Amino acid sequence: MEKPYLFGIHAEPPEALVWVYRALPFVIVLMAYSMLSMTYLAENPGGKLFPSFTMMGMRLWDLAFSFDARTQTYLLWADTYTSLFRFGMGLALGAALGLLIGVNMALFPGMRYMLLPFVTAVSNIPTLALLPLILLAVGIGDMAKVTLIFLGVVFYIARDMYTSVSELPEELLVKARTLGASQLGLVYRVVLPMVMPRLFEAVRLSLGIAWWSLIASEGIAATEGLGYRIFLMRRYLDMAGIIPYVVWITLLAFTINYALVYAQRYLYPWKQE
Amino acid sequence: MAILQKGISVLSDSPHIEEPVVAPQINIVKNGEVLCPKDRMLHIEDVIKEYPTSEGSKIVLDNVDLRVAAGEFVALVGPSGCGKSTLLRLILGQEEATSGNIYLDGERIGHPDERRGIVYQKYTLFPNLSVLDNILLGYRWGLSFTEWRRQKQDIRARAIDYLKIANLEEHKDKYPHQLSGGQQQRAAVLQALIKDPKILMMDEPFGALDPGSRERMQVFLLEQWERTGKTIFFVTHDLEEAVFLATRVIVLSQHYTDGRDVPLRGARVVCDITTGKRGVAASTKSKLDPKFAQTIEHIRDRGFQPSHLYHVTQFDLSHPDSFHTVSPEELEGTK
């Protein structure tokens, strides 16, 4: 049977070529940028808009390994630490509360009547629009960023958990009752352990909105953090600093995403497919 | 047949009158004996179940009456869609009857609880727990945290002993999805029995198994029944399985006639017979008996033939515990 290397639904390239395919889009973008940057710098020596890879590398080295006298820190690491703290806090609070709201809404009709319409309604608010209110309410410190991230993810996670608990087969819940589970036991000993893997998934899917909220809130009002630094560097047209920061954030996001995937697999080996 | 009408004796009020919340005065009389909900382990009377549909409502169970003695192995059969599983869910408390009463040991049944054990065809075990932990649930939820901590080792040892009965000891640390269908069902039977329910309900538990493991499961179940003496209520669509396992076969069917002028009838108990055997040895022997095939044929004739309907006064309710109530309008037009 004919198996083409690239085109058609029967394509089956050899292993080595697969890696070439995978790398291709990255290589194309990097080469395109490189050419753009060279042309630009040839016409504008000393221009800041499209820095070369060397310039970015030097600037990154600077940000990461030279002591900043004004803030008394190494900027990249201090920013990363601050941002990850805010990120983790907001996400963890959102996941915990979202899980509780979702599970309780799904199991208790009383809770469902009271909370479901409200949660559905407020989950439609673009939370960034609330930032001015948040800034007024909790100030411009860490709490503002944590709150924005929290609000961004909590309703999404609550709704996702609500759906997945509702989809549990009723038979298992009935069975648990016949085996002597109390009503609260049903929630915390039967249902919760069964939907924990799904919580990891829900958190993973809300990572995007969490990063969004973090960078946006740091860009608008902050004194340190990855988002703050990017917006600060923008004022000086410091593209050689901004681009490595963006790549660094992407790398962090990627790592966190896969950390969650592997944590879920490790913690819940019973969860197949 | 000589047994005709043996079970009929009383007229209750029209089943469509709403039941009062308090248990009504029961004065059902059968052959001069007054039937009381406390007489038998399970007592079901005048149970009607309607489901709302787009054109009003559909009656699934129409005036079901039933008594089951403790220690009996009851198989419930019937044509597909007749409401076998509905009746099981009503007894389990998973759903509520539109009207009528169900008593377990003289008490009105309520939401699902420890008095009734259940084994389903699917969703037999909790997927997130090992086989051993699944078995332990029944003990665990009955104990307070401190008591559980104190007795844990002891109970674990007992549960492992228990698993030996089902040859599952070596699989105790596996998750359910790593077991075969038959192994899962064996574990599920043990899981339910550990709680020592008054009645063990089973909803087509072996329906998804291949013929070989199915037969082994049937023998396993009979052994467990002999060992524990539990009352078992077994829903199946397989007549051979029903006659092989049960001491009593109940046929639920919508194929019958009565005096009412309705196009579609809800199912009721049209046949209720004893198979005249108890235990593994007797069951295995009974398969060779020509009566085995005759019984199956009889059941098929009684409840599975839309072309050959029996009148409500002609049901074969020959089992001694059987009774049924018939309203005047159901009797109308009776010869």
Side-chain angles (χ1 to χ4, degrees), chain B residues 18-228:
Chain B
E18 280 219 10
E19 291 286 340
V21 183
V22 188
Q25 183 69 38
I26 313 251
N27 52 358
I28 298 166
V29 187
K30 179 191 172 191
N31 299 340
E33 169 202 2
V34 179
L35 301 189
C36 154
K38 287 200 170 131
D39 286 351
R40 299 288 184 273
M41 159 80 63
L42 181 67
H43 184 108
I44 299 175
E45 60 177 36
D46 302 343
V47 161
I48 293 177
K49 180 67 186 174
E50 282 178 50
Y51 285 109
T53 61
S54 47
E55 307 104 47
S57 70
K58 179 180 188 295
I59 297 186
V60 179
L61 299 175
D62 194 352
N63 196 1
V64 171
D65 302 299
L66 195 61
R67 290 193 304 170
V68 177
E72 191 104 53
F73 194 134
V74 179
L76 182 66
V77 296
S80 57
C82 74
K84 300 185 288 283
S85 298
T86 304
L87 183 57
L88 176 128
R89 284 198 296 273
L90 293 183
I91 300 173
L92 191 57
Q94 193 175 340
E95 281 178 47
E96 203 180 352
T98 311
S99 69
N101 296 301
I102 302 177
Y103 302 87
L104 188 63
D105 243 9
E107 274 176 64
R108 270 242 174 104
I109 57 121
H111 297 292
D113 62 18
E114 294 156 57
R115 294 185 297 159
R116 290 150 285 173
I118 175 71
V119 177
Y120 292 105
Q121 182 184 115
K122 277 168 81 189
Y123 313 117
T124 49
L125 297 168
F126 293 96
N128 55 326
L129 299 174
S130 71
V131 173
L132 183 61
D133 285 335
N134 260 290
I135 298 286
L136 285 173
L137 287 182
Y139 292 126
R140 193 169 190 168
W141 287 336
L143 296 174
S144 71
F145 185 69
T146 44
E147 261 182 287
W148 164 249
R149 288 295 291 271
R150 199 148 35 92
Q151 302 182 27
K152 195 173 165 185
Q153 289 313 315
D154 195 34
I155 291 174
R156 251 182 84 93
R158 242 193 298 161
I160 291 174
D161 271 350
Y162 220 63
L163 282 173
K164 284 181 191 156
I165 298 174
N167 284 324
L168 287 169
E169 194 200 357
E170 63 200 279
H171 303 297
K172 66 179 164 58
D173 296 321
K174 287 189 182 167
Y175 288 109
H177 76 260
Q178 294 167 303
L179 300 184
S180 73
Q183 288 168 331
Q184 288 185 24
Q185 288 296 359
R186 288 209 295 276
V189 170
L190 290 183
Q191 183 189 41
L193 284 177
I194 270 189
K195 205 62 203 174
D196 198 23
K198 287 189 198 301
I199 184 167
L200 178 63
M201 321 280 301
M202 306 183 84
D203 192 359
E204 307 229 6
F206 312 145
L209 303 181
D210 62 89
S213 13
R214 194 171 176 140
E215 253 167 60
R216 282 194 297 279
M217 274 311 294
Q218 290 170 350
V219 173
F220 173 77
L221 181 62
L222 281 174
E223 285 166 359
Q224 298 315 304
W225 175 62
E226 257 186 274
R227 188 174 63 80
T228 59

Side-chain angles (χ1 to χ4, degrees), chain A residues 206-218:
Chain A
S206 55
L207 285 178
I209 190 77
W211 281 109
W212 246 96
S213 311
L214 176 77
I215 304 298
S217 58
E218 284 183 343

Side-chain angles (χ1 to χ4, degrees), chain A residues 211-232:
Chain A
W211 281 109
W212 246 96
S213 311
L214 176 77
I215 304 298
S217 58
E218 284 183 343
I220 290 169
T223 51
E224 56 181 337
L226 295 167
Y228 162 75
R229 196 70 51 202
I230 287 179
F231 280 74
L232 185 69

Side-chain angles (χ1 to χ4, degrees), chain B residues 212-286:
Chain B
S213 13
R214 194 171 176 140
E215 253 167 60
R216 282 194 297 279
M217 274 311 294
Q218 290 170 350
V219 173
F220 173 77
L221 181 62
L222 281 174
E223 285 166 359
Q224 298 315 304
W225 175 62
E226 257 186 274
R227 188 174 63 80
T228 59
K230 278 271 152 291
T231 315
I232 296 184
F233 194 90
F234 190 98
V235 171
T236 177
H237 63 261
D238 182 342
L239 297 184
E240 198 170 320
E241 181 170 70
V243 176
F244 174 68
L245 287 173
T247 57
R248 175 180 180 185
V249 180
I250 294 172
V251 186
L252 200 63
S253 176
Q254 64 276 57
H255 304 317
Y256 64 91
T257 61
D258 58 27
R260 294 172 302 168
D261 184 24
V262 284
L264 283 173
R265 290 181 166 76
R268 55 188 298 171
V269 178
V270 300
C271 175
D272 186 350
I273 54 172
T274 170
T275 59
K277 62 180 165 57
R278 287 189 88 84
V280 187
S283 281
T284 317
K285 224 176 84 189
S286 76

Side-chain angles (χ1 to χ4, degrees), chain A residues 67-102:
Chain A
F67 191 71
D68 182 65
R70 192 178 64 80
T71 56
Q72 296 288 306
T73 54
Y74 296 90
L75 287 177
L76 178 70
W77 307 117
D79 286 338
T80 305
Y81 174 80
T82 315
S83 287
L84 283 184
F85 171 76
R86 294 163 176 165
F87 187 81
M89 277 287 272
L91 205 60
L93 287 175
L97 204 74
L99 174 68
L100 286 181
I101 295 176

